[in-house]
Amino acid sequence: MLIYEKNIRDITVDDIKSLIEDEIDENNFIEYKGELDKNGEKKHIPRTVCGFANSDGGLLILGIDENNEGFDKIQGIKLNNQWEKEKQRLITLLRDTIEPYFDVGIEKLDLENGNVLIIIKTPKSWIAPHRAKIGKKRDFYMRRNGRTDHMEFNEIKRMFDLNNKLTEQINEFRCKRVLKYSSKDTNHYKVIFHSIPLNSFSNIQINLEDAKKYLIDNRVLSPEWNYNFEGIYQSRLDNFGQMFRNSIFEKVRKTDSEDDLVSLVYFEEEFKKFVKQMLKVYESLNIFCPIVFFVTFTNIKGRDVPVDSFNKRRGEIFDKERNILDPSGIIFESEESIDEDISCLFLQFWNHFGYDKKYETRR
């Protein structure tokens, strides 16, 4: 496995030494820098990270000097035990200078001389193009011939067009899947969770055995799996799970009886758990964020939600003919805002049933 294909936490000092020993020069996936002054850093790091994101991803390695004759030395960077402070400073720098912002991996490698190498890993972005805000300038960059160059107008336009196509592909996929479940057994309402990495439509094929292991390890579903044309699946009673070969995951829950109320409180907690579990699965599969998560309720026409038994008010459903609740998905790049974002998403479901906020059910 090439170093830039590794999970950033799996990169070692020996990997870096191998780059030097094999005289691997800077290329479209790797760039080296010695210790930077703060002014040079503000220009170089955002520009390089944008270039990687708008291309195929890559590694920026800080602490290696490269002169005109090749590598000088791995001297590292002196931090004086201030790593967490330095890491946060780099994150803040990128947040302030990259539009739209996305998460990158930032880790350190300890050297024998007491210094560190700083590794910034940028995945290929599926919400490109990005631009770097340097002073009053805002420019788009990409990697070309081993360096970071300005993007041409036609290259920027093509990226925007690709993003629109990706949105259409996601919507088309979900529409087919939701219609499949909403048209069957219409007396029961169903809840559908989808997790869709934004690179899942780029012809990637995951290792199904690895996927099965990580899904079991993270308790997404139990160990009894079967294979089908799309990948691997599990069907148990009223639950169905499918991992597609392109890394999309689908989980479906059918209610037990025809007169079940729509349990929004329960499914909000289930969705939070699902998102956190799948983020760990994707990390193990070396599939990077951003990842879009969707939740859909089907066959809910004529149903209500259970609310606090001491609350006399019942919601007034404005759109009594609506049978599918299918709001926009949420793009997650880390676990930081999961609970808050999902609560905001589920507020739309409560609003549909005529309630202005979430109500906990008392038994």
Side-chain angles (χ1 to χ4, degrees), residues 144-185:
R144 187 186 292 115
N145 300 321
R147 56 183 292 175
T148 302
D149 282 343
H150 282 89
M151 292 178 67
E152 302 292 338
F153 173 78
N154 64 324
E155 293 171 325
I156 298 171
K157 181 179 183 301
R158 186 165 60 246
M159 280 196 178
F160 279 115
D161 290 341
L162 287 173
N163 267 345
N164 291 334
K165 181 180 179 182
L166 176 60
T167 301
E168 291 173 2
Q169 288 175 311
I170 291 174
N171 290 337
E172 182 181 358
F173 168 81
R174 292 192 56 251
C175 182
K176 289 180 179 178
R177 303 302 294 182
V178 170
L179 288 176
K180 171 186 174 181
Y181 294 112
S182 63
S183 61
K184 293 181 178 179
D185 199 5

Side-chain angles (χ1 to χ4, degrees), residues 42-43 96-97 99 132-138:
K42 288 180 180 179
K43 295 179 180 178
D96 290 344
T97 55
E99 301 173 335
K133 182 175 62 176
I134 302 171
K136 295 182 178 181
K137 293 184 177 180
R138 287 170 168 80

Side-chain angles (χ1 to χ4, degrees), residues 247-263:
S247 76
I248 293 176
F249 190 82
E250 175 181 87
K251 186 174 182 179
V252 183
R253 169 74 184 273
K254 185 180 77 170
T255 53
D256 297 329
S257 63
E258 296 181 5
D259 58 351
D260 276 344
L261 295 172
V262 181
S263 304

